[in-house]
């Protein structure tokens, strides 16, 4: 499954500057880690109040990964522009 595309499809409508998004996937300890780098102005929208948006994004990716018997984590980072 293309987790980068899945995360990008979920995240892009939420941010003001979708062109500033950088989404990568890496292997770490028998798991895949999807990193989302966004503009510092948009990171609050991705995390949400009390982290509810970030939790929802992680849950969607988790469900997709379980269908493929994989472990996938999502991490969010802010980039200064």
């Amino acid at each position: 499954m293309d987790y980068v595309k899945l995360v990008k499809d979920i995240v892009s409508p939420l941010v003001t500057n979708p062109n500033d998004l950088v989404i990568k996937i890496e292997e770490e300890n028998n798991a895949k880690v999807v990193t989302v780098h966004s503009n510092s102005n948009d990171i609050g929208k991705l995390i949400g109040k009390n982290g509810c948006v970030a939790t929802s994004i992680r849950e969607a990716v988790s469900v997709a990964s379980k269908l493929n018997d994989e472990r996938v984590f999502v991490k969010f980072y802010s980039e200064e522009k």
Side-chain angles (χ1 to χ4, degrees):
M1 168 159 253
D2 188 359
Y3 297 107
V4 172
K5 183 181 178 335
L6 174 64
V7 171
K8 187 172 186 171
D9 289 344
I10 295 170
V11 168
S12 291
L14 300 176
V15 296
T16 306
N17 304 305
N19 294 334
D20 291 343
L21 284 174
V22 177
I23 303 171
K24 298 179 184 177
I25 191 164
E26 300 171 355
E27 292 280 335
E28 257 182 46
N29 301 329
N30 297 326
K32 295 179 181 182
V33 179
V34 178
T35 58
V36 180
H37 297 268
S38 73
N39 188 309
S40 60
N41 296 327
D42 289 330
I43 196 69
K45 295 175 188 173
L46 294 179
I47 295 173
K49 195 169 195 172
N50 295 323
C52 64
V53 175
T55 301
S56 298
I57 293 168
R58 289 180 176 124
E59 283 293 320
V61 172
S62 177
V63 169
S65 70
K66 286 182 177 149
L67 294 173
N68 295 319
D69 291 326
E70 297 177 315
R71 292 177 54 209
V72 181
F73 301 97
V74 181
K75 295 182 180 181
F76 297 94
Y77 295 98
S78 172
E79 299 292 326
E80 287 295 323
K81 284 274 176 178

